Amino acid sequence: MAEVLDVAVVGGGPTGLWLACELALAGVRVQVLERRAEPVRESRALTLHPRTLEVLALRGLEGRFLAQGRPLPTGHFAMLDTRLDFSVLDTRFPYTLFLPQAVTEALLEARARELGVDVLRGHTVEALRQDDEGVELEGTSSAGAFQVRARFVVGADGARSAVRRLAGIAFPGTDVTRTAMLGDVTLGEPPSQPAIGISSTRGGVMVVPMAPGVHRIVISDPLREHVSVREPVTLEELRESVTRIAGTDFGMKDPRWLSRFGNETRIADRYREGRVLLAGDAAHIHFPAGGQGLNVGLQDAMNLGWKLAAVVKDGAPEALLDSYMRERRPVGDALIRNTLAQTALMSATQETLALREVMSDLLRAPDLNRKLANAIGALDVGYSSLEVPAPQVDAPLLPEWSGRRLSDLDLTQDEGADIAIYAALHPGRWLMLGFGSGPLPRWEPGWPPRATLLRAHRPVGRAEFRDVGGMLVRPDGHVGWAWAA
Ligand SMILES: Cc1cc2nc3c(=O)[nH]c(=O)nc-3n(C[C@H](O)[C@H](O)[C@H](O)COP(=O)(O)OP(=O)(O)OC[C@H]3O[C@@H](n4cnc5c(N)ncnc54)[C@H](O)[C@@H]3O)c2cc1C
């Protein structure tokens, strides 16, 4: 067998590609094994949410995505009439970016290749064995059988994950009980607003722009919701449902992609089994409501990437990997909860319609709207489980800051150019940030952390920083430790 890799990532979808980028940035030898010989042309996901754009900005990549997407200042919850107002959120990216998944994947793959990642297409993993030192994978490619050995393997191989099954990780949950349809079509008579949702006892229809001349229509039709997820959708079926529910077919023609999808909902029992870890759809699946799966997958990868790199490159204890599940499983649970709630709100009964009106009314209250917008945008994710040792500092530690997500704030320096916090995190290292002129603390977590040192003034106009002397920021933009001024 050839060399032993540090990490083999199985699956070159968005989650696997971003994870590989993060690992390669830290100098980890990583290979992506992807079953498909060619990139997928159809796009399941259409949305990048605020936290995902922040994740990309933490590596200086947001411009590539913004240049090809279309920002919309709102999001939705269960297609309720009152939309979620993203424009008021505390982020540099207060919107949903409409960007087809195929484009997102192409941009991620380009970044991975720039960083020297081997993305091996046409490689299907079929067997996995692990021992104390590493993991062996076997599979088939067009050139015949292949074997790979790596110190760690990450299953980013989607809903039907072979890695999850081969590692013996259970995936409890519920089977499909309802299906819905989508069509990427040209509309001769598109709606006047950029995104619309229609709900009645006849069903629900959502229409959103996808690309120049192409709209996505999503239909939840009670008369068709028991059709098997495997049965192909025809344009006539789509037209009939849309006309019955919306009173028009919007002049639909030229279908690019027609598909049926269901509400199977599951979450992995464990995100780690020894040297095997799971991320993205391999770890959680749900009804795709609110446009979240791809986003949460990229955020899983952001959490795991630096930890895995610290273990394989810097000799951090393997226990650091357990914090991945402790931090991300609650996010997966919340994702399942909110998509189940949305599925319930999308059933076309009289009671549900009344509930929708009540919810829509409630969402007119700015605080409630903001709370849900923060949740769907994933800006409310904070962690409390990371057990890295604290820096040695004379001032009291501020535990309430640990795990908090930092917004991208501009910092002024006495010496050197002004810098935004995220720019200081572009290299993917820890950031030791001191406000004021006192000495920066010593930090010896027992493994050589890669840290950038930065001294700056407190962010202007942000009262919450008033009593903070400095902070140690994790490579994923969450606070590790903060201490008092
Ligand atoms: C209709 C629909 C609409 C959606 N809309 C949105 C949205 O708007 N926003 C959003 O965030 N999410 C959305 N999602 C969810 C989103 O598409 C997924 O969550 C996302 O693709 C998950 O990414 P992933 O990389 O984890 O898995 P995947 O994208 O499934 O990638 C897994 C990869 O692993 C490969 N693979 C599988 N098995 C093997 C093997 N044995 N060996 C090697 N390779 C293997 C596959 O070929 C694939 O490329 C939607 C989903 C659906 C169905």
Side-chain angles (χ1 to χ4, degrees), residues 163-226:
V163 171
R164 185 183 65 227
R165 175 173 44 82
L166 294 164
I169 300 176
F171 200 39
T174 49
D175 290 333
V176 181
T177 56
R178 269 168 67 181
T179 60
M181 295 177 276
L182 71 76
D184 295 340
V185 291
T186 299
L187 297 183
E189 298 145 33
S192 50
Q193 292 131 300
I196 64 153
I198 297 166
S199 285
S200 72
T201 45
R202 290 190 296 273
V205 169
M206 188 168 70
V207 185
V208 292
M210 196 175 162
V214 185
H215 278 76
R216 170 161 293 178
I217 301 195
V218 182
I219 301 125
S220 170
D221 179 353
L223 298 185
R224 307 293 300 158
E225 70 184 17
H226 297 300

Side-chain angles (χ1 to χ4, degrees), residues 11 14-15 34-35 44-47 101 125 281 291-295:
T15 304
E34 166 54 47
R35 179 175 59 191
R44 282 172 286 159
L46 283 192
T47 54
Q101 181 163 343
V125 169
D281 275 17
Q292 300 170 85
L294 179 152
N295 286 274

Side-chain angles (χ1 to χ4, degrees), residues 189-398:
E189 298 145 33
S192 50
Q193 292 131 300
I196 64 153
I198 297 166
S199 285
S200 72
T201 45
R202 290 190 296 273
V205 169
M206 188 168 70
V207 185
V208 292
M210 196 175 162
V214 185
H215 278 76
R216 170 161 293 178
I217 301 195
V218 182
I219 301 125
S220 170
D221 179 353
L223 298 185
R224 307 293 300 158
E225 70 184 17
H226 297 300
V227 177
S228 160
V229 75
R230 284 183 208 88
E231 189 170 313
V233 177
T234 65
L235 186 62
E236 282 325 303
E237 181 186 10
L238 197 76
R239 192 192 306 283
E240 195 278 316
S241 285
V242 173
T243 309
R244 185 161 27 81
I245 298 166
T248 167
D249 74 348
F250 301 102
M252 67 169 77
K253 57 184 178 191
D254 300 339
R256 270 53 163 201
W257 187 43
L258 301 174
S259 179
R260 207 181 302 273
F261 54 97
N263 64 340
E264 184 176 355
T265 298
R266 300 179 181 279
I267 188 157
D269 234 12
R270 311 183 288 296
Y271 282 21
R272 177 184 177 203
E273 177 61 45
R275 296 179 165 272
V276 177
L277 296 117
L278 300 177
D281 275 17
H284 36 70
I285 55 166
H286 54 84
F287 191 64
Q292 300 170 85
L294 179 152
N295 286 274
V296 174
L298 287 186
Q299 294 154 24
D300 284 348
M302 189 67 166
N303 186 289
L304 179 57
W306 67 267
K307 294 175 182 173
L308 202 44
V311 171
V312 300
K313 285 291 287 182
D314 303 328
E318 283 183 22
L320 186 59
L321 297 177
D322 292 327
S323 73
Y324 165 61
M325 164 145 171
R326 280 201 297 275
E327 294 187 339
R328 293 305 296 175
R329 168 71 198 235
V331 176
D333 288 333
L335 172 70
I336 299 268
R337 198 165 50 241
N338 90 47
T339 48
L340 285 174
Q342 293 189 71
T343 315
L345 278 167
M346 289 197 282
S347 69
T349 64
Q350 202 120 38
E351 291 81 359
T352 308
L353 288 175
L355 183 58
R356 291 177 68 84
E357 278 183 35
V358 171
M359 285 281 296
S360 268
D361 269 352
L362 287 174
L363 285 180
R364 284 193 195 100
D367 283 359
L368 294 181
N369 193 299
R370 182 191 291 250
K371 185 170 169 54
L372 203 51
N374 261 319
I376 296 294
L379 295 175
D380 66 346
V381 173
Y383 304 127
S384 57
S385 73
L386 191 74
E387 288 130 33
V388 296
Q392 290 155 24
V393 57
D394 289 337
L397 291 168
L398 302 172

Side-chain angles (χ1 to χ4, degrees), residues 75-95:
H76 80 93
F77 190 81
M79 297 200 252
L80 289 171
D81 286 346
T82 311
R83 291 185 63 86
L84 302 177
D85 183 4
F86 281 6
S87 71
V88 297
L89 302 181
D90 178 19
T91 172
R92 285 210 208 266
F93 310 101
Y95 42 77

